[in-house]
Amino acid sequence: MDAILLQILNGLDKGSAYALIALGLTLIFGTLGVVNFAHGALFMIGAFCAVVLARIMNYSRVVIDETRTDFLGNPMKIEVPYLHDWFGPATGQTMIEWSVPLAILFSIPVMWFVGYAMERGLIRHFYKRPHADQILVTFGLAIVLQEIVKHFFGANPIQTPAPPAFSGSFDVGAMLGFDPNVIIYPYWRLIYFAFAAVIIGAVFAFLQFTTFGMVVRAGMADRETVGLLGIDIDKRFTTMFAIAACVAGLAGVMYAPINAPNYHMGMDFLVLSFVVVVVGGMGSLAGAVLAGFMLGILESIASMAQVIEYLPGINQIVIYLVAIIILLTRPRGLLGRKGVMEE
Amino acid sequence: MFGLNRSDTLLLIFVALLTMLAPFFLNPFPEGSSLAQFNGGYPDLMQRFVIFGIFAIGFNILFGLTGYLSFGHAAFLGIGSYAAIWMMKLLTMNVIPAIILSVIVAGVFSLFVGYISLRRSGIYFSILTLAFAQMSYALAYSVLTPITGGETGLQPKLSDPRILDTMLGGGGDATRANLFGLEMGKSWQMDWNGWVFTFNTGYYVAAVVMLIAFYLSIRIFRSPFGLMLRAIKTNQNRLNYTGVNTKPYTLAAFVISGMYAGLAGGLLVAMDTQVGPERMFWTASGEVVLMTILGGVGTLIGPVLGAGLIKYMENILSKINEGLLETWFAFMPDTAGDVVVTVLALFTGKGWHLTLGLIFMLVVVFLPGGLVGGLVQGGRRMFRSRDGKATRETKSNQTPPTSTPAE
């Protein structure tokens, strides 16, 4: 029982990442009707926003400390970040340690700009083109973005630690009445889950309770009629693309401490996110979120030693197996609408 | 000739000349010259051209004719490879049984996958095929290690039984594939005024197989069966309403293209006698999609061109490093030379993926029908032989009209 609970918790953070990426993909697909293969790259750019901010904040000047010497006997060189100069050592150090949460603020304008530029510059010319063309051009874009990042940051993963305040673990088991030290869960993963829940809630609330969201939902249902009513729906859809880019970017920023960012992390998530979107049902936002969490949790339950003993290799294939079973029993995924992407 | 009309015969002859004379025109630069780097006429690369050409031709039969976008075709290639290598380990190092078995096994497996996946269409079909391929990859990598060799893959070993070879007196080298004693890796070199042309047995075997595969695909494109598949692409609902059961047709197309993939996999093993699970990873499936779209979906020769272009870039562009660039631009003034080298270094060597990505984007943006579509359009603009209607048709269908010879 406690082992299963632990695996469910372990599945939550991966499930949150799947859910956030799939939510963005579905937003883009539902509004613009575009299959965006560059969405994984947006996730990756988000993670590198955290890396960039950490680097900027660590930007330092070199001070020579005459009182100490290094192992060669020369005076020791100490790097003092400029933040220490500006805000005092204590505040400056705290800011550096909190670079990942601060990167949330930094990444929103960046991702907004990237998303906006992508939609205006490239994607808008592909609304009327076949899905195969959309896939190819966004895939090409993903490769280009990935190579650019690789050029500047190298091919190795870059460690981006969470603030030390959250680096410990949290004894969930003791709280729920199990033996202590059985179910231990890192704080940061808990935060990631809470963060994902907030973002998902915010996106839904935005679509449900604002006038802008209402218009967008109307446009998703019937684009032409909304256009006939004198609303510039394209403009709103561009905004939705930027929002979807921000969602993917934020998912990436917060994921950086869990998994050190490297240039191909987007591609690694992309295929699974597509499976998630399709299992949830094309065009269904709730389905994407549901399927994201479901597949994330199933994946980590399947990697339990007891399960692998009976079904060897199941941890590698469980997501695809579940996807096949769901698609065969529920033709449009869990919550899919009729007539979307079936031609 | 061979039951083809005039333009198709010309196309077949063109492709036959192209493949048979490839060792000459792929090596246009003399050995030792600074441009010899661009020579693509070495056996390993030429083999890849034709083998991935076969793979793309087969994929095009499914995607180009029926419009069903399979994202898991690499699985059939991989399974064909594994079948071929087991045939070599157990029976004989002769490539013929290995290739035949790889086609059969890939056909049976694609029948199974196709039967299930074709119950859905559109993106649901793509995801189903992707799921099967990723499952095959993951299993080959982990649980099926006794059969697949896991991460290290499989190679023929001296200790393998090779029943037939032993019965016939243990003939031939135990670890080299052959065709009735003719070794696949054997090459002859022709030296002519500094130009070196290499003729490789394996390449010509693969090239002949590709010509047969290409001929079959022309026949399929022009047959009533092919017309039926095009009808499915255009409007499957209408076919269903008129009482046609489309499933057998799509399934047949799926199995045929799976067998082509298996054939390509078997040939790959026949050339380099090794196989690993990465051959089935989704990027390999994606690559054949890109080859087909880049060359021109639904055209006969497009996929071959796309496969050639991608493999050429993968092998040639990635070899150009900064040092080589510096020798090329040594004639320029230092600063200007440095700038040029720095800029070009982004796109070559390890950065060749960047060029690939840019080419994808440029082709899709500016040449909607792929390379062949672009050539046909360009040709039409040059000669103005057709009226505007045909051009519009090309744009809307993404395929050139059937009568153009370039197809």
Side-chain angles (χ1 to χ4, degrees):
Chain A
M1 179 60 210
D2 43 0
I4 291 178
L5 190 63
L6 182 64
Q7 293 304 332
I8 290 178
L9 284 174
N10 278 339
L12 279 184
D13 60 314
K14 210 157 205 192
S16 312
Y18 291 154
L20 284 176
I21 301 177
L23 181 69
L25 270 175
T26 309
L27 271 181
I28 293 174
F29 181 77
T31 51
L32 303 170
V34 169
V35 182
N36 182 17
F37 258 57
H39 210 68
L42 293 173
F43 176 73
M44 185 255 317
I45 291 177
F48 275 91
C49 280
V51 173
V52 168
L53 191 73
R55 290 215 172 155
I56 293 177
M57 291 179 112
N58 274 312
Y59 202 63
S60 10
R61 66 195 168 86
V62 176
V63 178
I64 295 173
D65 188 350
E66 299 286 354
T67 57
R68 288 189 290 170
T69 52
D70 60 11
F71 65 99
L72 286 173
N74 300 319
M76 180 96 97
K77 285 178 184 164
I78 298 176
E79 295 196 338
V80 178
Y82 282 105
L83 281 180
H84 285 202
D85 294 350
W86 296 339
F87 297 100
T91 323
Q93 189 57 34
T94 315
M95 284 178 75
I96 291 174
E97 282 163 357
W98 282 70
S99 65
V100 171
L102 286 175
I104 294 175
L105 300 176
F106 171 66
S107 72
I108 289 176
V110 173
M111 296 313 298
W112 188 279
F113 172 75
V114 170
Y116 197 85
M118 216 168 119
E119 204 274 338
R120 288 285 92 176
L122 186 72
I123 309 272
R124 66 182 304 196
H125 304 291
F126 283 84
Y127 293 159
K128 299 265 157 60
R129 301 274 286 271
H131 287 305
D133 283 5
Q134 298 171 352
I135 289 175
L136 190 66
V137 79
T138 49
F139 191 72
L141 181 68
I143 294 176
V144 169
L145 291 174
Q146 185 173 316
E147 287 300 310
I148 292 173
V149 168
K150 183 176 155 197
H151 180 253
F152 286 107
F153 296 93
N156 295 324
I158 300 166
Q159 297 293 337
T160 319
F166 299 130
S167 61
S169 293
F170 172 60
D171 201 338
V172 184
M175 206 175 74
L176 294 175
F178 294 100
D179 297 332
N181 292 325
V182 175
I183 306 175
I184 299 176
Y185 197 60
Y187 280 118
W188 188 259
R189 297 190 172 210
L190 210 62
I191 288 171
Y192 192 81
F193 172 62
F195 177 77
V198 169
I199 297 270
I200 292 166
V203 169
F204 275 92
F206 177 72
L207 286 175
Q208 206 66 38
F209 301 123
T210 62
T211 318
F212 190 101
M214 191 185 71
V215 172
V216 168
R217 275 186 297 132
M220 281 167 88
D222 190 340
R223 183 185 187 134
E224 270 181 34
T225 312
V226 176
L228 288 176
L229 290 172
I231 294 170
D232 188 353
I233 192 75
D234 283 357
K235 218 173 197 169
R236 315 225 165 186
F237 281 177
T238 310
T239 312
M240 286 317 288
F241 191 96
I243 289 177
C246 284
V247 170
L250 290 176
V253 169
M254 294 294 274
Y255 207 70
I258 298 178
N259 202 346
N262 56 18
Y263 73 97
H264 55 75
M265 69 190 290
M267 284 288 179
D268 300 344
F269 268 89
L270 176 77
V271 164
L272 282 174
S273 308
F274 262 99
V275 174
V276 166
V277 169
V278 171
V279 166
M282 290 303 286
S284 160
L285 295 171
V289 174
L290 179 70
F293 282 112
M294 192 187 82
L295 292 180
I297 290 170
L298 274 176
E299 190 183 17
S300 74
I301 286 184
S303 46
M304 280 165 66
Q306 292 95 322
V307 177
I308 292 180
E309 201 180 319
Y310 289 110
L311 301 162
I314 188 78
N315 55 331
Q316 310 268 347
I317 60 169
V318 65
I319 286 190
Y320 300 107
L321 204 60
V322 169
I324 291 173
I325 292 168
I326 286 182
L327 286 184
L328 290 180
T329 50
R330 294 191 61 89
R332 291 179 197 95
L334 289 173
L335 302 172
R337 280 182 292 151
K338 199 173 178 201
V340 181
M341 272 297 263
E342 286 185 85
E343 70 285 342
Chain B
M1 197 165 63
F2 307 126
L4 302 178
N5 66 23
R6 192 167 154 275
S7 62
D8 287 343
T9 312
L10 281 176
L11 183 66
L12 186 64
I13 292 172
F14 173 68
V15 172
L17 286 176
L18 213 63
T19 48
M20 290 303 141
L21 300 179
F24 291 105
F25 72 84
L26 283 176
N27 261 5
F29 307 111
E31 200 65 22
S33 71
S34 61
L35 289 174
Q37 195 72 35
F38 289 110
N39 281 343
Y42 56 94
D44 189 45
L45 182 56
M46 290 196 299
Q47 289 165 3
R48 268 162 208 280
F49 283 161
V50 288
I51 292 172
F52 281 89
I54 295 174
F55 191 19
I57 291 172
F59 183 78
N60 191 37
I61 290 176
L62 179 70
F63 180 45
L65 287 180
T66 67
Y68 276 77
L69 175 58
S70 159
F71 230 84
H73 251 54
F76 308 128
L77 182 103
I79 280 172
S81 292
Y82 281 118
I85 203 119
W86 273 109
M87 205 62 170
M88 286 185 174
K89 280 164 105 62
L90 295 179
L91 202 62
T92 165
M93 288 304 285
N94 195 330
V95 295
I96 299 287
I99 290 174
I100 291 174
L101 187 75
S102 67
V103 173
I104 293 171
V105 171
V108 171
F109 185 65
S110 61
L111 184 68
F112 167 73
V113 173
Y115 185 77
I116 293 174
S117 303
L118 284 166
R119 296 164 67 129
R120 300 284 170 263
S121 56
I123 197 157
Y124 298 103
F125 169 80
S126 307
I127 294 288
L128 280 172
T129 48
L130 171 76
F132 276 111
Q134 284 293 84
M135 274 166 46
S136 323
Y137 164 76
L139 291 178
Y141 207 84
S142 57
V143 183
L144 294 179
T145 303
I147 308 174
T148 60
E151 200 178 341
T152 41
L154 288 176
Q155 277 146 358
K157 290 195 191 98
L158 285 173
S159 54
D160 289 332
R162 281 190 304 282
I163 302 167
L164 209 62
D165 280 358
T166 332
M167 254 165 49
L168 299 175
D173 191 327
T175 52
R176 291 198 195 150
N178 62 61
L179 177 71
F180 302 113
L182 202 60
E183 256 178 40
M184 285 291 126
K186 194 152 191 161
S187 298
W188 290 268
Q189 293 206 324
M190 191 174 102
D191 212 326
W192 183 74
N193 284 348
W195 273 268
V196 176
F197 304 112
T198 313
F199 305 95
N200 173 269
T201 325
Y203 168 72
Y204 277 102
V205 171
V208 168
V209 175
M210 193 202 87
L211 281 180
I212 299 169
F214 187 67
Y215 169 70
L216 283 177
S217 103
I218 300 182
R219 291 300 297 259
I220 290 173
F221 266 62
R222 302 288 180 251
S223 67
F225 171 69
L227 265 180
M228 203 65 177
L229 295 181
R230 281 170 205 261
I232 290 170
K233 182 180 186 178
T234 316
N235 196 334
Q236 186 162 10
N237 273 337
R238 193 175 291 176
L239 273 182
N240 286 333
Y241 293 154
T242 48
V244 178
N245 181 9
T246 52
K247 182 85 185 273
Y249 292 96
T250 45
L251 188 59
F254 192 88
V255 172
I256 290 171
S257 78
M259 286 164 84
Y260 267 77
L263 176 65
L267 278 172
L268 272 179
V269 166
M271 300 305 146
D272 55 11
T273 60
Q274 58 178 8
V275 53
E278 71 286 343
R279 221 167 253 186
M280 303 207 260
F281 196 54
W282 73 267
T283 46
S285 303
E287 195 180 44
V288 73
V289 179
L290 299 177
M291 285 170 181
T292 313
I293 301 180
L294 193 62
V297 182
T299 60
L300 281 168
I301 201 171
V304 186
L305 292 182
L309 184 70
I310 289 186
K311 284 291 153 194
Y312 183 80
M313 292 203 335
E314 181 182 326
N315 286 278
I316 302 296
L317 218 52
S318 57
K319 272 196 307 194
I320 302 172
N321 55 20
E322 222 162 308
L324 197 69
L325 286 173
E326 268 163 24
T327 56
W328 287 350
F329 293 101
F331 66 90
M332 290 173 89
D334 273 356
T335 341
D338 282 352
V339 171
V340 171
V341 168
T342 325
V343 171
L344 283 180
L346 289 180
F347 296 97
T348 52
K350 282 181 191 151
W352 76 273
H353 275 112
L354 184 61
T355 321
L356 190 72
L358 285 174
I359 287 185
F360 286 156
M361 290 171 67
L362 291 177
V363 166
V364 182
V365 172
F366 296 110
L367 300 175
L371 293 177
V372 171
L375 284 178
V376 171
Q377 254 181 13
R380 215 168 274 153
R381 213 165 285 164
M382 293 257 285
F383 297 113
R384 296 250 170 237
S385 58
R386 279 163 200 280
D387 55 3
K389 188 174 163 252
T391 322
R392 267 205 304 285
E393 238 173 42
T394 322
K395 269 190 182 158
S396 63
N397 293 340
Q398 302 295 317
T399 47
T402 48
S403 58
T404 45
E407 200 188 343

